[in-house]
């Protein structure tokens, strides 16, 4: 079920399975990929708007399914997150998608698609989208992204290092994404499975007490205990989003309070997700977390 690595001349189809975006926000990603030798195809309903959704559930699901079924498409890149993937999960044939041999790339709300496909054994790519790269990033962000498309998981030396909270070494398949979507999945047919896995988490614009609530949910459900280790990215803008009626606490302290007592290898500030600059991170393949060295090393290839 591994995706094929991309080569110059391959076609990447842009789809919008969640919230909408304007056409000009596709321009930089289109230029980046065409200069790297790829062809671009835009899904039929990719530029539609329906409030906070990019068109109807049926059209968004049809675009995504058709992109994976399309013999001329070699990889599927989501244009943005926002909200909406949960609504189309029942409309998709995930078995067919998982057997397509095509790479899925995206993050944020795309977490729901990562979970569904990772649960079936298909690796996916938590990486920047057209909306993400509409804003300038450091060169190592582009290098990490383009490398992953080729199946090269080398992490650029210029990427900042994480910080150790609990030392130790753990191995397991990577799983995770945006924290609020991970907790939303609990109780659904596409639920987060952490058993013996490295849980890789980030989020954006959540208040401190909500970060506490979501990590507490992982603890209370046993999902945190079943994980092999934790790789925590940035809780972007959380420290600025304090409900004055409740009060706040730095998000790093919250994570230490909730996860450190489990005694499992734990690092924070791993550079991925909604942070200003982010690594492209595969989910669903075996990796080693060395929390003392603050490294996440992949033990198997992403692509066939």
């Amino acid at each position: 079920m591994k995706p094929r690595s991309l080569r110059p001349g391959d076609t990447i189809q842009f789809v919008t399975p969640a919230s909408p975006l304007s056409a000009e926000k596709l321009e930089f990603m289109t230029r980046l990929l065409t200069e790297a030798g790829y062809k671009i195809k835009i899904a039929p309903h990719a530029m539609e708007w329906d409030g906070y959704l990019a068109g109807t559930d049926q059209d968004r699901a049809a675009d995504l399914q058709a992109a994976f079924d399309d013999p001329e498409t070699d990889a599927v890149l989501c244009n943005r997150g926002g909200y909406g993937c949960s609504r189309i999960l029942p409309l998709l044939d995930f078995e067919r998608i998982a057997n397509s041999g095509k790479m899925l790339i995206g993050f944020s709300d795309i977490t729901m698609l990562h979970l569904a496909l990772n649960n079936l054994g298909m690796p996916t790519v938590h990486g920047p989208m057209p909306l993400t790269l509409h804003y300038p990033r450091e060169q190592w962000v582009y290098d990490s992204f383009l490398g992953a498309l080729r199946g090269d998981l080398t992490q650029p030396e210029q990427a900042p290092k994480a910080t150790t909270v609990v030392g130790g070494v753990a191995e397991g398949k990577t799983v995770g994404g945006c924290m609020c979507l991970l907790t939303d999945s609990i109780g659904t047919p596409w639920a987060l499975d952490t058993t013996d896995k490295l849980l890789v988490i980030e989020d954006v614009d959540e208040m401190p007490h909500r970060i506490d609530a979501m990590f507490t949910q992982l603890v209370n459900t046993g999902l945190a205990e079943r994980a092999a280790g934790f790789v925590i990215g940035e809780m972007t803008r959380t420290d600025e989003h304090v409900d004055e009626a409740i009060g706040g606490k730095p998000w790093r302290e919250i994570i230490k309070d909730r996860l450190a007592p489990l005694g499992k290898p734990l690092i924070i500030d791993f550079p991925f997700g909604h942070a200003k600059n982010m690594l492209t991170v595969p989910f669903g393949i075996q990796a080693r977390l060395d929390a003392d060295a603050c490294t996440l090393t992949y033990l198997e290839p992403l692509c066939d």
Side-chain angles (χ1 to χ4, degrees), residues 128-253:
M129 303 172 287
L131 178 63
T132 319
L133 297 190
H134 175 66
Y135 307 95
R137 310 290 177 176
E138 294 185 14
Q139 182 59 44
W140 62 264
V141 175
Y142 309 125
D143 294 342
S144 175
F145 173 63
L146 293 173
L149 299 184
R150 301 189 300 268
D152 180 0
L153 302 181
T154 304
Q155 294 181 0
E157 293 183 3
Q158 298 85 354
K161 304 302 180 185
T163 301
T164 304
V165 177
V166 178
V169 176
E171 293 184 4
K173 288 187 176 182
T174 52
V175 66
C178 193
M179 182 69 177
C180 63
L181 280 307
L182 299 178
T183 52
D184 281 353
S185 77
I186 296 172
T188 73
W190 309 277
L192 170 67
D193 176 14
T194 62
T195 305
D196 299 324
K197 295 178 181 175
L198 300 177
L199 187 52
V200 188
I201 301 176
E202 54 87 29
D203 213 323
V204 62
D205 288 332
E206 293 286 352
M207 291 182 286
H209 73 276
R210 290 301 308 153
I211 294 295
D212 187 311
M214 289 185 284
F215 276 100
T216 297
Q217 179 76 343
L218 293 185
V219 171
N220 289 347
T221 57
L223 288 166
E225 179 61 40
R226 292 195 287 275
F230 304 99
V231 177
I232 309 298
E234 182 179 88
M235 301 293 137
T236 305
R237 295 188 292 273
T238 285
D239 289 344
E240 298 94 291
H241 287 296
V242 176
D243 183 339
E244 297 301 333
I246 297 179
K249 178 187 291 188
W251 66 263
R252 292 170 180 83
E253 291 185 18

Side-chain angles (χ1 to χ4, degrees), residues 3-301:
R4 298 183 295 273
S5 59
L6 296 183
R7 297 170 294 181
D10 285 345
T11 297
I12 300 173
Q13 185 164 167
F14 290 7
V15 299
T16 316
S19 291
L21 79 170
S22 54
E24 67 269 16
K25 290 186 170 62
L26 300 182
E27 292 175 0
F28 182 86
M29 179 67 86
T30 299
R31 185 166 68 252
L32 179 71
L33 293 175
T34 54
E35 288 177 355
Y38 302 115
K39 300 174 185 177
I40 302 301
K41 186 173 184 177
I42 308 296
H45 303 97
M47 307 314 299
E48 293 189 3
W49 291 68
D50 180 13
Y52 46 76
L53 300 171
T56 67
D57 294 345
Q58 290 73 22
D59 285 345
R60 298 193 328 279
D63 273 5
L64 188 64
Q65 190 74 57
F68 280 100
D69 291 342
D70 180 13
E72 297 180 355
T73 294
D74 300 289
V76 177
L77 175 63
C78 299
N79 285 328
R80 70 166 296 182
Y83 170 72
C85 286
S86 296
R87 294 172 58 110
I88 67 172
L89 295 180
L91 306 178
L92 297 168
D93 185 339
F94 283 109
E95 290 281 356
R96 205 158 81 228
I97 292 173
N99 284 288
S100 69
K102 298 175 184 179
M103 191 179 293
L104 172 74
I105 309 132
F107 76 108
S108 193
D109 196 66
I110 312 307
T111 293
M112 299 305 295
L113 302 179
H114 289 301
L115 288 176
L117 293 168
N118 294 163
N119 284 347
L120 291 176
M122 174 182 167
T124 55
V125 177
H126 183 288
M129 303 172 287
L131 178 63
T132 319
L133 297 190
H134 175 66
Y135 307 95
R137 310 290 177 176
E138 294 185 14
Q139 182 59 44
W140 62 264
V141 175
Y142 309 125
D143 294 342
S144 175
F145 173 63
L146 293 173
L149 299 184
R150 301 189 300 268
D152 180 0
L153 302 181
T154 304
Q155 294 181 0
E157 293 183 3
Q158 298 85 354
K161 304 302 180 185
T163 301
T164 304
V165 177
V166 178
V169 176
E171 293 184 4
K173 288 187 176 182
T174 52
V175 66
C178 193
M179 182 69 177
C180 63
L181 280 307
L182 299 178
T183 52
D184 281 353
S185 77
I186 296 172
T188 73
W190 309 277
L192 170 67
D193 176 14
T194 62
T195 305
D196 299 324
K197 295 178 181 175
L198 300 177
L199 187 52
V200 188
I201 301 176
E202 54 87 29
D203 213 323
V204 62
D205 288 332
E206 293 286 352
M207 291 182 286
H209 73 276
R210 290 301 308 153
I211 294 295
D212 187 311
M214 289 185 284
F215 276 100
T216 297
Q217 179 76 343
L218 293 185
V219 171
N220 289 347
T221 57
L223 288 166
E225 179 61 40
R226 292 195 287 275
F230 304 99
V231 177
I232 309 298
E234 182 179 88
M235 301 293 137
T236 305
R237 295 188 292 273
T238 285
D239 289 344
E240 298 94 291
H241 287 296
V242 176
D243 183 339
E244 297 301 333
I246 297 179
K249 178 187 291 188
W251 66 263
R252 292 170 180 83
E253 291 185 18
I254 295 170
I255 289 172
K256 292 174 183 177
D257 173 73
R258 297 285 71 203
L259 296 184
L262 298 174
K264 298 173 183 285
L266 166 62
I267 61 175
I268 60 173
D269 288 308
F270 186 73
F272 90 114
H274 289 85
K276 182 177 180 181
N277 295 290
M278 72 294 292
L279 289 170
T280 297
V281 179
F283 288 157
I285 61 173
Q286 196 77 7
R288 176 185 295 116
L289 166 63
D290 184 335
D292 298 301
C294 291
T295 57
L296 182 65
T297 306
Y298 299 98
L299 305 177
E300 65 174 310

